[in-house]
Amino acid sequence: MEKKDFEAWLDNISIAFLSLTDLQKNETLDHLISLSGAVQLRHLSNNLEILLKRDFLKLLPLELSFYLLKWLDPQTLLTCCLVSKQWNKVISACTEVWQTACKNLGWQIDDSVQDPLHWKKVYLKAILRMKQLKDHEAFETSSLIGHSARVYALYYKDGLLCTGSDDLSAKLWDVSTGQCIYGIQTHTCAAVKFDEQKLVTGSFDNTVACWEWSSGAKTQHFRGHTGAVFSVDYNDELDILVSGSADFTVKVWALSTGTCLNTLTGHTEWVTKVVLQKCKVKSLMHSPGDYILLSADKYEIKIWPIGREINCRCLRTLSVSEDRSISLQPRLHFDGKYIVCSSALGLYQWDFASYDILRVIKLPDFSNVSLLGFGEIFALLFDNRYLYIMDLRTEKLISRWPLPEYRKSKRGSSFLAGEMSWLNGLNGQNDTGLVFATSMPDHSIHLVLWKEHG
């Protein structure tokens, strides 16, 4: 058939086809298909794919594509990334989707990062770390060996761990290498705190002492307590040292001279914890920037202003039971905004602005679980058998790690948390270093450390 005749025939057929009903059109197509050979069927197949399969991510505006993608879960999105390079490019650049997914996993979000492909990479890293936590594969263990008697006091800061022992020595260790940096002769240590130049120790001999790391010399001796000193804290800016003792008192000292500035009374049990911290909230009793002293015994937490007046009055006393039927465990968290302490009933969180109890987190058999660290997203807990991580948003335990038979202590100084920043949200850089340390019956120190990312 000539081209001109064919085009005229095709126009007539098209007009007739358009006048048919849908059923008649289908029957016509079926008949034509039955008359077609392999060449025609291949042509039909290729063109049907183009006509029927529309790539909406390629055709839609990017903003509309991002809106649709927000309704899919991250695992489905990862599967969709395999469809084509174009899909992978669009989905990977959907920042809001991946940031939300990271937040849901307990990851910190840095809004200053401009790279549109950054957050999918972060999510993949986050999902791996959270799987390791769930599968009990996120940590590894190590030991520090060097003391010849019971290790009672531990303090951790910036990758360094200080240990105080009944062998009348204190040692400073580099956790990453396991090497002892300093070892100095001291008295028996019940509590330690250090910085680059000095070490402050509270002792079972009822005194507090300050030592120089480089020479091992005792630079100051604080005498006045009539019972063992279980906790110390200090601030160089204020030139103040505070100590809590088995004589039921808290003493405030001039750090540089050793002079006792104040003796705070009111506790009726051993004072097992003192914390010196800058306030971050405003209330009728304090303002942001004020230094606050917290002291805790078996039943009460007392809040004091830091001043040099002799008759310093307690601002407030916190407890979980008026009749003292419920005791507090000797682990206290205070970040300037919230006070957190564990008891046989669970974790208690107080708002420091109002002193109201914000919440009580309860777990089965909580009487044996103690607090190690508390953040905005996670809490670190432990009992006689395991180290636990709790997601504070759901109040569910998301991971645990077995612990050896460590040396038990009623006053709680022989175990501590390591790096704490990850409790406010992981970020891919802060899940390194020390997680937990405890003294062992053989006088070694058992360390639990973050395992490097796979």
Side-chain angles (χ1 to χ4, degrees):
M1 184 182 293
E2 296 292 334
K3 182 178 181 182
K4 185 177 179 180
D5 295 336
F6 172 74
E7 289 176 351
W9 174 82
L10 189 60
D11 286 339
N12 292 330
I13 290 295
S14 298
I15 293 170
F17 184 79
L18 291 173
S19 67
L20 301 176
T21 64
D22 286 340
L23 181 60
Q24 290 171 333
K25 288 178 181 178
N26 291 343
E27 289 181 4
T28 302
L29 290 174
D30 289 341
H31 183 66
L32 289 174
I33 290 171
S34 68
L35 297 175
S36 300
V39 174
Q40 290 75 45
L41 291 175
R42 188 179 304 110
H43 175 77
L44 182 63
S45 175
N46 292 337
N47 281 277
L48 280 175
E49 184 175 5
I50 295 172
L51 292 171
L52 296 178
K53 294 183 179 180
R54 298 296 180 97
D55 188 340
F56 71 93
L57 284 188
K58 187 175 181 180
L59 297 173
L60 287 175
L62 198 57
E63 295 80 4
L64 191 53
S65 295
F66 286 167
Y67 175 78
L68 293 174
L69 292 172
K70 288 194 297 185
W71 297 95
L72 300 178
D73 64 272
Q75 196 58 48
T76 300
L77 287 174
L78 289 176
T79 303
C80 290
C81 285
L82 303 176
V83 171
S84 68
K85 290 182 179 180
Q86 177 67 21
W87 279 45
N88 183 45
K89 182 179 179 181
V90 172
I91 294 171
S92 298
C94 191
T95 300
E96 185 179 350
V97 167
W98 299 114
Q99 283 187 341
T100 301
C102 290
K103 283 181 181 178
N104 291 338
L105 290 176
W107 232 250
Q108 294 178 3
I109 300 301
D110 182 0
D111 293 321
S112 65
V113 177
Q114 298 299 318
D115 180 6
L117 304 181
H118 171 77
W119 291 106
K120 181 192 169 188
K121 299 174 186 175
V122 172
Y123 175 77
L124 293 173
K125 193 172 186 178
I127 203 74
L128 172 62
R129 181 57 96 190
M130 299 311 290
K131 184 179 186 301
Q132 289 175 337
L133 285 171
K134 182 180 179 181
D135 296 341
H136 321 304
E137 297 175 349
F139 305 134
E140 57 190 5
T141 60
S142 181
S143 294
L144 302 176
I145 300 173
H147 284 291
S148 59
R150 176 184 70 160
V151 176
Y152 188 83
L154 300 171
Y155 186 80
Y156 177 81
K157 179 184 177 183
D158 298 334
L160 302 175
L161 179 67
C162 180
T163 57
S165 169
D166 282 353
D167 62 10
L168 305 183
S169 76
K171 296 181 184 295
L172 189 64
W173 308 82
D174 184 325
V175 171
S176 63
T177 64
Q179 298 299 309
C180 180
I181 301 171
Y182 289 115
I184 61 175
Q185 293 300 305
T186 62
H187 47 187
T188 57
C189 295
V192 293
K193 184 176 181 179
F194 71 91
D195 55 41
E196 292 78 7
Q197 286 79 38
K198 64 181 176 294
L199 166 68
V200 174
T201 57
S203 176
F204 293 104
D205 67 9
N206 306 346
T207 70
V208 178
C210 185
W211 315 79
E212 186 177 69
W213 279 122
S214 59
S215 65
K218 184 192 298 181
T219 58
Q220 203 60 256
H221 209 172
F222 305 83
R223 302 176 185 272
H225 281 296
T226 58
V229 179
F230 294 130
S231 183
V232 294
D233 202 354
Y234 66 85
N235 184 283
D236 287 307
E237 179 186 346
L238 299 175
D239 189 32
I240 278 180
L241 181 146
V242 293
S243 55
S245 169
D247 63 11
F248 305 168
T249 70
V250 176
K251 287 187 180 290
V252 181
W253 313 80
L255 181 59
S256 58
T257 65
T259 305
C260 183
L261 305 174
N262 217 333
T263 299
L264 310 180
T265 60
H267 285 284
T268 56
E269 297 284 343
W270 292 357
V271 181
T272 54
K273 189 68 176 177
V274 290
V275 177
L276 194 57
Q277 174 69 41
K278 189 178 286 188
C279 175
K280 296 179 182 178
V281 292
K282 182 175 178 57
S283 78
L284 294 175
M285 298 183 184
H286 43 70
S287 301
D290 293 345
Y291 277 94
I292 298 293
L293 169 62
L294 265 63
S295 58
D297 63 29
K298 187 177 181 180
Y299 298 107
E300 295 177 337
I301 301 169
K302 290 187 178 292
I303 303 167
W304 312 83
I306 284 296
R308 293 176 180 257
E309 64 272 17
I310 298 301
N311 297 315
C312 181
R313 300 186 65 180
C314 177
L315 297 177
R316 183 63 66 96
T317 298
L318 307 177
S319 64
V320 297
S321 60
E322 294 183 2
D323 61 357
R324 297 194 165 202
S325 59
I326 304 298
S327 62
L328 299 173
Q329 295 176 358
R331 318 296 304 180
L332 183 64
H333 170 87
F334 178 49
D335 62 1
K337 293 194 234 177
Y338 306 106
I339 300 171
V340 185
C341 194
S342 56
S343 74
L345 294 180
L347 283 179
Y348 278 77
Q349 182 181 17
W350 287 269
D351 175 41
F352 193 59
S354 64
Y355 302 125
D356 292 334
I357 295 176
L358 293 180
R359 61 173 170 173
V360 181
I361 302 173
K362 296 186 178 182
L363 284 177
D365 193 26
F366 210 115
S367 59
N368 294 321
V369 178
S370 297
L371 174 70
L372 282 167
F374 193 93
E376 296 175 5
I377 304 295
F378 302 111
L380 188 64
L381 313 166
F382 77 114
D383 62 14
N384 292 338
R385 297 182 301 158
Y386 294 102
L387 188 67
Y388 301 99
I389 296 176
M390 173 187 283
D391 189 327
L392 292 171
R393 299 166 300 178
T394 61
E395 299 182 4
K396 301 293 185 183
L397 298 178
I398 62 170
S399 182
R400 71 179 188 182
W401 183 261
L403 294 175
E405 288 292 325
Y406 56 86
R407 193 181 67 77
K408 308 300 187 295
S409 165
K410 291 182 179 180
R411 287 167 291 285
S413 298
S414 55
F415 35 77
L416 85 169
E419 299 290 346
M420 302 280 274
S421 63
W422 65 271
L423 296 175
N424 293 322
L426 293 156
N427 62 17
Q429 282 82 46
N430 59 9
D431 51 344
T432 59
L434 184 67
V435 180
F436 173 77
T438 184
S439 56
M440 301 294 290
D442 64 359
H443 318 317
S444 67
I445 312 300
H446 178 78
L447 307 179
V448 178
L449 305 134
W450 282 103
K451 188 184 295 183
E452 289 188 12
H453 282 275

